[in-house]
Every structure is written in structure tokens, then in C-alpha cells.
Amino acid sequence: MPAISGGGVLAFSAILALSLTFASCADNSDPDDENPSPALPANVGENPIKETIKLKEGPYESSYLELRADRTAQYIHVDDDEESKDKKTIRYTYKYSYNNEKKTVTMIVEKVYYGSFYIKEEGQLLTYSEICSKIDKEFTVENIRQYEKKYYEEEHKWIEEYYPGCDTYEEYEEALIKKAGFASFDAYTEYNKQYLKNEYKAYFSAKITYAYESEGGKMTLTEKFTGVKNLFNSECGFSDKSNYARIGCYSASIDYYNDSSVTYYYGNTVDTDKKTISFESREDGEKVNATYTEDIEAETVTIKFKDKDYVCKFEGEKYIQVE
């Protein structure tokens, strides 16, 4: 699943809560609703996938990657709770190309499973433009306000910590808009609609490359680091005592340790063209602009944040054929 969001594009409630509560007036231009997927490289040699195969990241993983000989693939999640045990859901579909000389398989996202926020219907596998259409219908002022009212009622004690003195929903909404830096609830809603579109655009723009090898009749796929923009399911991470940092294709996070205290910063916009990150403090809303550099050979990303450099190591996927 895509990085940073604790469940990626599937963890909608977590994404929405972060986005709506800590939104800021960063540059959030309207994305092109056409398919942003990059072109696959040309096939070289013979396809190493001769029949449909299943691969897992570990023996106890319930989800798995399925590759087919027709140059398509899908990521399938198997529910393991008692109510829906063994229910299979296709989370993503891909197209892939292969290079028999370099022993690589390169994949791009074709469709992503989208579960609606407000419309009561089953989740669906959708293209980027179809997801944008869904978001346009769901992210209305009325729906966002209903969400915020429910959030206010259910999380009032938590909200009081960040928005003290809000004894009514109306006072909370006014404080929320002011802290987020918007002139109106309409502008706030529009920002969050575009925020989610841009996040999906980053996922659909990824081009994931795996090195492959076969041993004993079974294939192993090991992800190669090809830059932050291609971190669809992966992250680069750094950890050293209280200092902690992570970065994915769209968002980032840093636990900044200074003077015996730790402040959590959420990077809600990673610009992979300019190699910049817009961070915001969860505690007081402080905004910090950071830059990063990539070292493809060393498989690292160095985030330059305030007075420190965080050298984040690539944490890629590794799939092993199970049948």
C-alpha cells in the first residue's frame, strides 16, 4: 500500500483527518484529470512471466501480488477478520513491461480501489480520472461540514487541546478555518478536494521497477530505488533516538528533536519536480519549507530540515513467488 498514510490510499479516514485538520494554503493547483501514468519502457527479450504467478512479501502476509503473462498484474488483499474471512479484494491493477537483458520488470498503476467517504456504495477499482470524478461529487461544502460536525462531536476532548475555547461547532469551524489560513469554508473545502486529487495523481504517476531472479523455479522481485516520485508502495526512512523521518511520493514526516523536546512535523506536499517539502507542525501550526536530494546509487534521500540533515534509507518491497 502506498506510503506514509498508514494504509496509503486505502486509509481514507486517516488521510481525511490529517488533511482536513492540518490543511494549509500551500500551492495546490488543480491537477489534470487525464491519466498521469508515465509510459512503460519497451519490452526487451522474452517475457520471464510464462503463466500467472503469486508472490508475497512474507510467508504470513495475507495480501499478495499476482503477475500474468499478458503483462498485467494485480495486488490482492485477503481479509483475515472473522466477519469477512478469506474475502479477496483487488486493491490495485498494473501494467508491466520487462527487460530480459537487465533482468527487470517495470510496473505502472492502472486502477486503484476507491472507497467512498460519503456515498454508501461498495468500493470500486477506478482509473485516476474516475477517482477525480468521484471526489468532485463527494467533496462538497455540505458533506465536509457534516463530517466536521461529526468529528467535533466525537472528538471534542481532543479538539479542545488544539482549538481551546470552542464551546460550539460554529466556534470550532471558525477557529479551524482561521488556523488553516483560509478565508471561507468554501475555500477550505476546495483545498481539501484538490489535495486528495493531487495525492492520487502522485500515486498514478509512479513507475516501479523490480529486479528479478529465478531460483528453483520460483521468481523473486526486489524493488530498485529510482527516485522519490516512484515510491508508490515504499518509503525512505531515518531513525536515530528521538530523530525520525520518512518520505514517500506525496507526503513526509519528521520528529524534530531540539532542546530536550520533540515536535512532530507533517509534510503534506512533496514536490518531486522541485524536490521540496512543505512541512507543518502538528502542535502549533508552524510552517517549514524543506528541500531534499536523492542518491540513486546509495539508495538514499537526504531531507534538509532546519539545522539538520536526515539521510533516509530506501525501504523497498521484496516479493517471493509462493505458487
Side-chain angles (χ1 to χ4, degrees):
M1 290 175 281
I4 297 297
S5 54
V9 293
L10 308 178
F12 291 106
S13 59
I15 294 172
L16 191 62
L18 281 170
S19 170
L20 295 181
T21 306
F22 303 108
S24 64
C25 290
D27 180 15
N28 205 63
S29 58
D30 192 356
D32 181 358
D33 286 357
E34 296 301 319
N35 181 14
S37 295
L40 282 168
N43 295 313
V44 177
E46 188 177 350
N47 190 350
I49 314 298
K50 306 300 183 185
E51 59 184 0
T52 300
I53 60 173
K54 181 190 295 186
L55 305 98
K56 288 186 175 183
E57 288 192 88
Y60 304 109
E61 291 289 329
S62 57
S63 300
Y64 59 91
L65 182 66
E66 187 176 88
L67 269 69
R68 298 173 174 176
D70 64 358
R71 303 198 305 278
T72 65
Q74 52 189 23
Y75 184 87
I76 299 173
H77 175 73
V78 182
D79 249 321
D80 55 6
D81 62 46
E82 290 302 319
E83 292 185 4
S84 56
K85 195 169 181 64
D86 298 329
K87 178 184 177 182
K88 297 180 180 180
T89 305
I90 301 173
R91 296 298 189 184
Y92 327 113
T93 62
Y94 308 88
K95 293 180 180 179
Y96 73 84
S97 66
Y98 53 84
N99 188 312
N100 207 252
E101 294 177 1
K102 294 182 179 180
K103 301 295 183 184
T104 58
V105 170
T106 302
M107 301 169 64
I108 58 172
V109 183
E110 184 179 30
K111 292 184 178 181
V112 169
Y113 181 89
Y114 181 86
S116 298
F117 286 107
Y118 307 112
I119 300 173
K120 293 183 178 180
E121 63 182 20
E122 288 292 322
Q124 305 171 63
L125 275 172
L126 301 175
T127 64
Y128 174 71
S129 60
E130 289 170 339
I131 287 175
C132 286
S133 179
K134 285 280 189 183
I135 292 172
D136 284 335
K137 291 178 181 177
E138 292 187 63
F139 276 66
T140 64
V141 170
E142 179 182 355
N143 284 341
I144 297 297
R145 182 166 278 133
Q146 286 179 355
Y147 170 86
E148 288 293 357
K149 283 182 178 179
K150 183 178 180 181
Y151 188 70
Y152 174 80
E153 293 166 359
E154 294 178 353
E155 305 291 340
H156 186 71
K157 290 183 179 180
W158 185 88
I159 288 172
E160 179 65 24
E161 182 180 344
Y162 292 93
Y163 303 93
C166 296
D167 297 323
T168 65
Y169 169 75
E170 288 71 24
E171 290 175 337
Y172 162 66
E173 182 178 301
E174 183 179 351
L176 174 69
I177 296 170
K178 183 177 179 181
K179 186 173 182 178
F182 293 97
S184 67
F185 198 83
D186 286 35
Y188 173 73
T189 299
E190 182 63 23
Y191 171 89
N192 286 285
K193 180 174 72 174
Q194 299 302 336
Y195 177 96
L196 197 57
K197 282 188 180 183
N198 287 344
E199 184 167 16
Y200 275 104
K201 186 172 186 177
Y203 296 140
F204 276 89
S205 298
K207 184 161 60 176
I208 314 107
T209 301
Y210 298 91
Y212 73 82
E213 57 183 342
S214 296
E215 186 174 344
K218 291 189 176 182
M219 176 173 284
T220 298
L221 295 180
T222 304
E223 187 177 0
K224 296 166 66 70
F225 180 60
T226 56
V228 171
K229 66 180 180 180
N230 296 321
L231 294 176
F232 174 69
N233 277 338
S234 304
E235 298 176 339
C236 291
F238 166 85
S239 180
D240 178 20
K241 297 180 180 179
S242 296
N243 293 302
Y244 172 90
R246 303 195 80 75
I247 183 171
C249 68
Y250 187 70
S251 57
S253 62
I254 281 180
D255 284 350
Y256 179 75
Y257 182 81
N258 190 40
D259 298 329
S260 300
S261 64
V262 179
T263 303
Y264 175 80
Y265 289 86
Y266 180 73
N268 60 9
T269 304
V270 174
D271 189 323
T272 57
D273 291 325
K274 298 178 181 178
K275 292 185 171 50
T276 59
I277 311 169
S278 300
F279 282 99
E280 185 170 348
S281 165
R282 177 174 288 183
E283 281 76 10
D284 59 12
E286 177 195 10
K287 296 176 176 60
V288 179
N289 292 322
T291 61
Y292 71 87
T293 56
E294 301 171 341
D295 188 327
I296 302 298
E297 185 176 350
E299 296 190 327
T300 59
V301 175
T302 300
I303 302 175
K304 299 180 181 298
F305 181 88
K306 291 191 172 182
D307 57 343
K308 298 178 181 179
D309 286 355
Y310 297 84
V311 182
C312 301
K313 186 67 178 175
F314 175 55
E315 300 170 359
E317 297 175 306
K318 184 173 183 177
Y319 288 100
I320 300 173
Q321 184 178 344
V322 291
E323 60 180 63

mmCIF file of all heavy atoms in Angstrom, residues 123-157:
data_model
loop_
_atom_site.group_PDB
_atom_site.id
_atom_site.type_symbol
_atom_site.label_atom_id
_atom_site.label_comp_id
_atom_site.label_asym_id
_atom_site.label_seq_id
_atom_site.Cartn_x
_atom_site.Cartn_y
_atom_site.Cartn_z
ATOM 1 N N GLY A 123 -16.793 -0.277 -2.578
ATOM 2 C CA GLY A 123 -15.609 0.275 -3.204
ATOM 3 C C GLY A 123 -15.420 -0.291 -4.607
ATOM 4 O O GLY A 123 -15.915 -1.376 -4.925
ATOM 5 N N GLN A 124 -14.712 0.463 -5.433
ATOM 6 C CA GLN A 124 -14.546 0.070 -6.826
ATOM 7 C C GLN A 124 -13.097 0.276 -7.278
ATOM 8 O O GLN A 124 -12.398 1.134 -6.747
ATOM 9 C CB GLN A 124 -15.449 0.917 -7.731
ATOM 10 C CG GLN A 124 -16.916 0.900 -7.374
ATOM 11 C CD GLN A 124 -17.678 1.939 -8.184
ATOM 12 O OE1 GLN A 124 -17.747 1.867 -9.406
ATOM 13 N NE2 GLN A 124 -18.232 2.926 -7.504
ATOM 14 N N LEU A 125 -12.697 -0.498 -8.268
ATOM 15 C CA LEU A 125 -11.420 -0.265 -8.934
ATOM 16 C C LEU A 125 -11.630 0.818 -9.979
ATOM 17 O O LEU A 125 -12.437 0.650 -10.898
ATOM 18 C CB LEU A 125 -10.921 -1.538 -9.605
ATOM 19 C CG LEU A 125 -10.136 -2.523 -8.753
ATOM 20 C CD1 LEU A 125 -9.905 -3.801 -9.538
ATOM 21 C CD2 LEU A 125 -8.807 -1.931 -8.297
ATOM 22 N N LEU A 126 -10.907 1.933 -9.855
ATOM 23 C CA LEU A 126 -11.140 3.067 -10.733
ATOM 24 C C LEU A 126 -9.831 3.616 -11.300
ATOM 25 O O LEU A 126 -8.766 3.504 -10.677
ATOM 26 C CB LEU A 126 -11.861 4.186 -9.975
ATOM 27 C CG LEU A 126 -13.218 3.847 -9.350
ATOM 28 C CD1 LEU A 126 -13.720 5.029 -8.535
ATOM 29 C CD2 LEU A 126 -14.226 3.466 -10.422
ATOM 30 N N THR A 127 -9.916 4.235 -12.471
ATOM 31 C CA THR A 127 -8.789 4.959 -13.051
ATOM 32 C C THR A 127 -8.655 6.303 -12.336
ATOM 33 O O THR A 127 -9.522 6.704 -11.551
ATOM 34 C CB THR A 127 -9.012 5.210 -14.547
ATOM 35 O OG1 THR A 127 -10.165 6.066 -14.704
ATOM 36 C CG2 THR A 127 -9.236 3.901 -15.296
ATOM 37 N N TYR A 128 -7.583 7.012 -12.627
ATOM 38 C CA TYR A 128 -7.382 8.318 -11.991
ATOM 39 C C TYR A 128 -8.517 9.287 -12.321
ATOM 40 O O TYR A 128 -9.050 9.952 -11.424
ATOM 41 C CB TYR A 128 -6.045 8.903 -12.434
ATOM 42 C CG TYR A 128 -5.826 10.310 -11.940
ATOM 43 C CD1 TYR A 128 -5.589 10.559 -10.598
ATOM 44 C CD2 TYR A 128 -5.868 11.390 -12.815
ATOM 45 C CE1 TYR A 128 -5.405 11.848 -10.128
ATOM 46 C CE2 TYR A 128 -5.677 12.682 -12.354
ATOM 47 C CZ TYR A 128 -5.446 12.910 -11.010
ATOM 48 O OH TYR A 128 -5.276 14.186 -10.555
ATOM 49 N N SER A 129 -8.906 9.379 -13.577
ATOM 50 C CA SER A 129 -9.969 10.319 -13.946
ATOM 51 C C SER A 129 -11.295 9.935 -13.293
ATOM 52 O O SER A 129 -12.071 10.807 -12.898
ATOM 53 C CB SER A 129 -10.129 10.386 -15.470
ATOM 54 O OG SER A 129 -10.459 9.120 -15.998
ATOM 55 N N GLU A 130 -11.559 8.638 -13.154
ATOM 56 C CA GLU A 130 -12.789 8.191 -12.492
ATOM 57 C C GLU A 130 -12.770 8.547 -11.007
ATOM 58 O O GLU A 130 -13.795 8.935 -10.440
ATOM 59 C CB GLU A 130 -12.963 6.685 -12.679
ATOM 60 C CG GLU A 130 -13.320 6.295 -14.105
ATOM 61 C CD GLU A 130 -13.247 4.797 -14.345
ATOM 62 O OE1 GLU A 130 -12.568 4.091 -13.574
ATOM 63 O OE2 GLU A 130 -13.858 4.335 -15.330
ATOM 64 N N ILE A 131 -11.602 8.427 -10.374
ATOM 65 C CA ILE A 131 -11.481 8.805 -8.964
ATOM 66 C C ILE A 131 -11.690 10.309 -8.795
ATOM 67 O O ILE A 131 -12.378 10.755 -7.872
ATOM 68 C CB ILE A 131 -10.110 8.377 -8.411
ATOM 69 C CG1 ILE A 131 -10.081 6.861 -8.233
ATOM 70 C CG2 ILE A 131 -9.811 9.069 -7.079
ATOM 71 C CD1 ILE A 131 -8.754 6.306 -7.797
ATOM 72 N N CYS A 132 -11.120 11.110 -9.699
ATOM 73 C CA CYS A 132 -11.318 12.560 -9.638
ATOM 74 C C CYS A 132 -12.794 12.915 -9.740
ATOM 75 O O CYS A 132 -13.288 13.821 -9.046
ATOM 76 C CB CYS A 132 -10.525 13.255 -10.746
ATOM 77 S SG CYS A 132 -8.744 13.311 -10.452
ATOM 78 N N SER A 133 -13.526 12.213 -10.595
ATOM 79 C CA SER A 133 -14.956 12.449 -10.741
ATOM 80 C C SER A 133 -15.697 12.126 -9.440
ATOM 81 O O SER A 133 -16.593 12.867 -9.018
ATOM 82 C CB SER A 133 -15.509 11.605 -11.892
ATOM 83 O OG SER A 133 -16.897 11.794 -12.042
ATOM 84 N N LYS A 134 -15.308 11.031 -8.781
ATOM 85 C CA LYS A 134 -15.913 10.655 -7.506
ATOM 86 C C LYS A 134 -15.649 11.724 -6.451
ATOM 87 O O LYS A 134 -16.536 12.107 -5.681
ATOM 88 C CB LYS A 134 -15.340 9.314 -7.035
ATOM 89 C CG LYS A 134 -15.866 8.107 -7.778
ATOM 90 C CD LYS A 134 -17.232 7.699 -7.260
ATOM 91 C CE LYS A 134 -17.662 6.375 -7.846
ATOM 92 N NZ LYS A 134 -19.029 6.002 -7.409
ATOM 93 N N ILE A 135 -14.403 12.193 -6.399
ATOM 94 C CA ILE A 135 -14.029 13.200 -5.411
ATOM 95 C C ILE A 135 -14.828 14.485 -5.623
ATOM 96 O O ILE A 135 -15.282 15.115 -4.666
ATOM 97 C CB ILE A 135 -12.511 13.461 -5.473
ATOM 98 C CG1 ILE A 135 -11.748 12.230 -4.978
ATOM 99 C CG2 ILE A 135 -12.130 14.681 -4.634
ATOM 100 C CD1 ILE A 135 -10.245 12.300 -5.175
ATOM 101 N N ASP A 136 -15.021 14.890 -6.875
ATOM 102 C CA ASP A 136 -15.797 16.092 -7.174
ATOM 103 C C ASP A 136 -17.222 15.992 -6.632
ATOM 104 O O ASP A 136 -17.787 16.972 -6.126
ATOM 105 C CB ASP A 136 -15.845 16.342 -8.685
ATOM 106 C CG ASP A 136 -14.548 16.911 -9.229
ATOM 107 O OD1 ASP A 136 -13.815 17.542 -8.452
ATOM 108 O OD2 ASP A 136 -14.270 16.714 -10.424
ATOM 109 N N LYS A 137 -17.810 14.794 -6.740
ATOM 110 C CA LYS A 137 -19.187 14.599 -6.279
ATOM 111 C C LYS A 137 -19.275 14.542 -4.757
ATOM 112 O O LYS A 137 -20.260 14.983 -4.167
ATOM 113 C CB LYS A 137 -19.753 13.308 -6.875
ATOM 114 C CG LYS A 137 -19.980 13.368 -8.381
ATOM 115 C CD LYS A 137 -20.494 12.049 -8.915
ATOM 116 C CE LYS A 137 -20.689 12.096 -10.428
ATOM 117 N NZ LYS A 137 -21.134 10.788 -10.978
ATOM 118 N N GLU A 138 -18.253 13.999 -4.127
ATOM 119 C CA GLU A 138 -18.304 13.796 -2.678
ATOM 120 C C GLU A 138 -17.826 14.989 -1.869
ATOM 121 O O GLU A 138 -18.377 15.282 -0.802
ATOM 122 C CB GLU A 138 -17.464 12.579 -2.315
ATOM 123 C CG GLU A 138 -18.042 11.274 -2.825
ATOM 124 C CD GLU A 138 -17.260 10.093 -2.293
ATOM 125 O OE1 GLU A 138 -17.247 9.903 -1.074
ATOM 126 O OE2 GLU A 138 -16.650 9.384 -3.114
ATOM 127 N N PHE A 139 -16.802 15.674 -2.350
ATOM 128 C CA PHE A 139 -16.217 16.761 -1.570
ATOM 129 C C PHE A 139 -16.954 18.067 -1.829
ATOM 130 O O PHE A 139 -16.463 18.968 -2.504
ATOM 131 C CB PHE A 139 -14.723 16.881 -1.877
ATOM 132 C CG PHE A 139 -13.880 15.944 -1.078
ATOM 133 C CD1 PHE A 139 -13.993 14.572 -1.265
ATOM 134 C CD2 PHE A 139 -13.009 16.395 -0.113
ATOM 135 C CE1 PHE A 139 -13.246 13.686 -0.529
ATOM 136 C CE2 PHE A 139 -12.249 15.517 0.646
ATOM 137 C CZ PHE A 139 -12.369 14.153 0.441
ATOM 138 N N THR A 140 -18.145 18.137 -1.255
ATOM 139 C CA THR A 140 -18.955 19.349 -1.332
ATOM 140 C C THR A 140 -18.926 20.025 0.034
ATOM 141 O O THR A 140 -18.587 19.401 1.053
ATOM 142 C CB THR A 140 -20.403 19.010 -1.700
ATOM 143 O OG1 THR A 140 -20.985 18.223 -0.647
ATOM 144 C CG2 THR A 140 -20.470 18.250 -3.022
ATOM 145 N N VAL A 141 -19.294 21.300 0.058
ATOM 146 C CA VAL A 141 -19.333 22.041 1.323
ATOM 147 C C VAL A 141 -20.254 21.351 2.318
ATOM 148 O O VAL A 141 -19.932 21.208 3.510
ATOM 149 C CB VAL A 141 -19.777 23.497 1.086
ATOM 150 C CG1 VAL A 141 -20.057 24.207 2.411
ATOM 151 C CG2 VAL A 141 -18.717 24.257 0.298
ATOM 152 N N GLU A 142 -21.398 20.889 1.848
ATOM 153 C CA GLU A 142 -22.363 20.233 2.734
ATOM 154 C C GLU A 142 -21.778 18.964 3.347
ATOM 155 O O GLU A 142 -21.889 18.740 4.561
ATOM 156 C CB GLU A 142 -23.633 19.888 1.956
ATOM 157 C CG GLU A 142 -24.680 19.192 2.804
ATOM 158 C CD GLU A 142 -25.915 18.808 2.004
ATOM 159 O OE1 GLU A 142 -25.991 19.173 0.810
ATOM 160 O OE2 GLU A 142 -26.795 18.145 2.576
ATOM 161 N N ASN A 143 -21.143 18.142 2.528
ATOM 162 C CA ASN A 143 -20.585 16.896 3.040
ATOM 163 C C ASN A 143 -19.417 17.116 3.994
ATOM 164 O O ASN A 143 -19.313 16.459 5.033
ATOM 165 C CB ASN A 143 -20.125 16.018 1.874
ATOM 166 C CG ASN A 143 -21.273 15.343 1.164
ATOM 167 O OD1 ASN A 143 -22.366 15.222 1.699
ATOM 168 N ND2 ASN A 143 -21.036 14.906 -0.065
ATOM 169 N N ILE A 144 -18.533 18.051 3.650
ATOM 170 C CA ILE A 144 -17.393 18.334 4.511
ATOM 171 C C ILE A 144 -17.870 18.911 5.841
ATOM 172 O O ILE A 144 -17.355 18.561 6.909
ATOM 173 C CB ILE A 144 -16.410 19.305 3.834
ATOM 174 C CG1 ILE A 144 -15.818 18.685 2.567
ATOM 175 C CG2 ILE A 144 -15.283 19.691 4.796
ATOM 176 C CD1 ILE A 144 -14.999 17.446 2.808
ATOM 177 N N ARG A 145 -18.865 19.776 5.803
ATOM 178 C CA ARG A 145 -19.393 20.352 7.053
ATOM 179 C C ARG A 145 -20.025 19.266 7.924
ATOM 180 O O ARG A 145 -19.845 19.267 9.151
ATOM 181 C CB ARG A 145 -20.398 21.458 6.750
ATOM 182 C CG ARG A 145 -20.952 22.141 7.989
ATOM 183 C CD ARG A 145 -21.661 23.426 7.659
ATOM 184 N NE ARG A 145 -20.734 24.537 7.492
ATOM 185 C CZ ARG A 145 -20.764 25.392 6.494
ATOM 186 N NH1 ARG A 145 -21.644 25.251 5.510
ATOM 187 N NH2 ARG A 145 -19.899 26.391 6.445
ATOM 188 N N GLN A 146 -20.741 18.335 7.318
ATOM 189 C CA GLN A 146 -21.316 17.226 8.082
ATOM 190 C C GLN A 146 -20.219 16.390 8.720
ATOM 191 O O GLN A 146 -20.329 15.971 9.882
ATOM 192 C CB GLN A 146 -22.172 16.349 7.169
ATOM 193 C CG GLN A 146 -23.502 16.970 6.783
ATOM 194 C CD GLN A 146 -24.300 16.072 5.856
ATOM 195 O OE1 GLN A 146 -23.822 15.013 5.422
ATOM 196 N NE2 GLN A 146 -25.517 16.492 5.535
ATOM 197 N N TYR A 147 -19.150 16.162 7.963
ATOM 198 C CA TYR A 147 -18.017 15.409 8.504
ATOM 199 C C TYR A 147 -17.407 16.141 9.690
ATOM 200 O O TYR A 147 -17.123 15.543 10.740
ATOM 201 C CB TYR A 147 -16.962 15.197 7.420
ATOM 202 C CG TYR A 147 -15.663 14.646 7.966
ATOM 203 C CD1 TYR A 147 -15.489 13.284 8.127
ATOM 204 C CD2 TYR A 147 -14.636 15.515 8.332
ATOM 205 C CE1 TYR A 147 -14.303 12.776 8.653
ATOM 206 C CE2 TYR A 147 -13.452 15.012 8.865
ATOM 207 C CZ TYR A 147 -13.294 13.652 9.018
ATOM 208 O OH TYR A 147 -12.124 13.167 9.548
ATOM 209 N N GLU A 148 -17.185 17.449 9.551
ATOM 210 C CA GLU A 148 -16.571 18.229 10.619
ATOM 211 C C GLU A 148 -17.456 18.271 11.865
ATOM 212 O O GLU A 148 -16.958 18.225 12.994
ATOM 213 C CB GLU A 148 -16.256 19.648 10.133
ATOM 214 C CG GLU A 148 -15.091 19.733 9.157
ATOM 215 C CD GLU A 148 -13.750 19.392 9.793
ATOM 216 O OE1 GLU A 148 -13.695 19.141 11.010
ATOM 217 O OE2 GLU A 148 -12.755 19.367 9.063
ATOM 218 N N LYS A 149 -18.768 18.362 11.672
ATOM 219 C CA LYS A 149 -19.687 18.376 12.822
ATOM 220 C C LYS A 149 -19.600 17.061 13.583
ATOM 221 O O LYS A 149 -19.560 17.043 14.824
ATOM 222 C CB LYS A 149 -21.118 18.624 12.344
ATOM 223 C CG LYS A 149 -21.413 20.075 11.990
ATOM 224 C CD LYS A 149 -22.868 20.251 11.577
ATOM 225 C CE LYS A 149 -23.159 21.717 11.262
ATOM 226 N NZ LYS A 149 -24.580 21.916 10.838
ATOM 227 N N LYS A 150 -19.575 15.956 12.861
ATOM 228 C CA LYS A 150 -19.472 14.649 13.499
ATOM 229 C C LYS A 150 -18.125 14.503 14.202
ATOM 230 O O LYS A 150 -18.046 13.975 15.320
ATOM 231 C CB LYS A 150 -19.642 13.545 12.447
ATOM 232 C CG LYS A 150 -19.625 12.147 13.025
ATOM 233 C CD LYS A 150 -19.840 11.096 11.935
ATOM 234 C CE LYS A 150 -19.818 9.696 12.528
ATOM 235 N NZ LYS A 150 -20.002 8.643 11.484
ATOM 236 N N TYR A 151 -17.088 14.983 13.535
ATOM 237 C CA TYR A 151 -15.751 14.929 14.117
ATOM 238 C C TYR A 151 -15.702 15.754 15.403
ATOM 239 O O TYR A 151 -15.113 15.339 16.407
ATOM 240 C CB TYR A 151 -14.750 15.460 13.093
ATOM 241 C CG TYR A 151 -13.301 15.285 13.478
ATOM 242 C CD1 TYR A 151 -12.724 14.024 13.508
ATOM 243 C CD2 TYR A 151 -12.506 16.395 13.786
ATOM 244 C CE1 TYR A 151 -11.386 13.861 13.852
ATOM 245 C CE2 TYR A 151 -11.184 16.241 14.126
ATOM 246 C CZ TYR A 151 -10.624 14.970 14.162
ATOM 247 O OH TYR A 151 -9.311 14.813 14.506
ATOM 248 N N TYR A 152 -16.318 16.920 15.394
ATOM 249 C CA TYR A 152 -16.366 17.798 16.567
ATOM 250 C C TYR A 152 -17.089 17.117 17.724
ATOM 251 O O TYR A 152 -16.636 17.153 18.873
ATOM 252 C CB TYR A 152 -17.062 19.111 16.204
ATOM 253 C CG TYR A 152 -17.294 20.024 17.384
ATOM 254 C CD1 TYR A 152 -16.270 20.825 17.889
ATOM 255 C CD2 TYR A 152 -18.545 20.093 17.997
ATOM 256 C CE1 TYR A 152 -16.480 21.656 18.975
ATOM 257 C CE2 TYR A 152 -18.769 20.928 19.075
ATOM 258 C CZ TYR A 152 -17.732 21.701 19.570
ATOM 259 O OH TYR A 152 -17.944 22.520 20.650
ATOM 260 N N GLU A 153 -18.194 16.473 17.446
ATOM 261 C CA GLU A 153 -18.986 15.817 18.488
ATOM 262 C C GLU A 153 -18.271 14.613 19.082
ATOM 263 O O GLU A 153 -18.302 14.379 20.292
ATOM 264 C CB GLU A 153 -20.341 15.388 17.915
ATOM 265 C CG GLU A 153 -21.237 16.562 17.543
ATOM 266 C CD GLU A 153 -22.428 16.142 16.681
ATOM 267 O OE1 GLU A 153 -22.524 14.927 16.372
ATOM 268 O OE2 GLU A 153 -23.237 17.015 16.332
ATOM 269 N N GLU A 154 -17.586 13.838 18.229
ATOM 270 C CA GLU A 154 -16.958 12.604 18.696
ATOM 271 C C GLU A 154 -15.572 12.819 19.295
ATOM 272 O O GLU A 154 -15.123 12.018 20.123
ATOM 273 C CB GLU A 154 -16.864 11.606 17.535
ATOM 274 C CG GLU A 154 -18.230 11.129 17.037
ATOM 275 C CD GLU A 154 -18.109 10.174 15.857
ATOM 276 O OE1 GLU A 154 -16.970 10.001 15.347
ATOM 277 O OE2 GLU A 154 -19.134 9.597 15.458
ATOM 278 N N GLU A 155 -14.895 13.873 18.875
ATOM 279 C CA GLU A 155 -13.514 14.100 19.316
ATOM 280 C C GLU A 155 -13.367 15.431 20.043
ATOM 281 O O GLU A 155 -12.329 16.087 19.951
ATOM 282 C CB GLU A 155 -12.563 14.058 18.110
ATOM 283 C CG GLU A 155 -12.636 12.793 17.285
ATOM 284 C CD GLU A 155 -12.100 11.581 18.028
ATOM 285 O OE1 GLU A 155 -11.338 11.768 18.995
ATOM 286 O OE2 GLU A 155 -12.455 10.450 17.647
ATOM 287 N N HIS A 156 -14.375 15.814 20.801
ATOM 288 C CA HIS A 156 -14.373 17.152 21.394
ATOM 289 C C HIS A 156 -13.195 17.363 22.355
ATOM 290 O O HIS A 156 -12.583 18.434 22.366
ATOM 291 C CB HIS A 156 -15.694 17.405 22.127
ATOM 292 C CG HIS A 156 -15.829 18.817 22.631
ATOM 293 N ND1 HIS A 156 -16.034 19.885 21.775
ATOM 294 C CD2 HIS A 156 -15.750 19.331 23.877
ATOM 295 C CE1 HIS A 156 -16.097 21.004 22.481
ATOM 296 N NE2 HIS A 156 -15.925 20.688 23.755
ATOM 297 N N LYS A 157 -12.869 16.343 23.144
ATOM 298 C CA LYS A 157 -11.764 16.486 24.098
ATOM 299 C C LYS A 157 -10.437 16.692 23.369
ATOM 300 O O LYS A 157 -9.608 17.501 23.777
ATOM 301 C CB LYS A 157 -11.690 15.252 24.997
ATOM 302 C CG LYS A 157 -12.842 15.148 25.983
ATOM 303 C CD LYS A 157 -12.667 13.950 26.893
ATOM 304 C CE LYS A 157 -13.809 13.861 27.901
ATOM 305 N NZ LYS A 157 -13.661 12.681 28.801
#
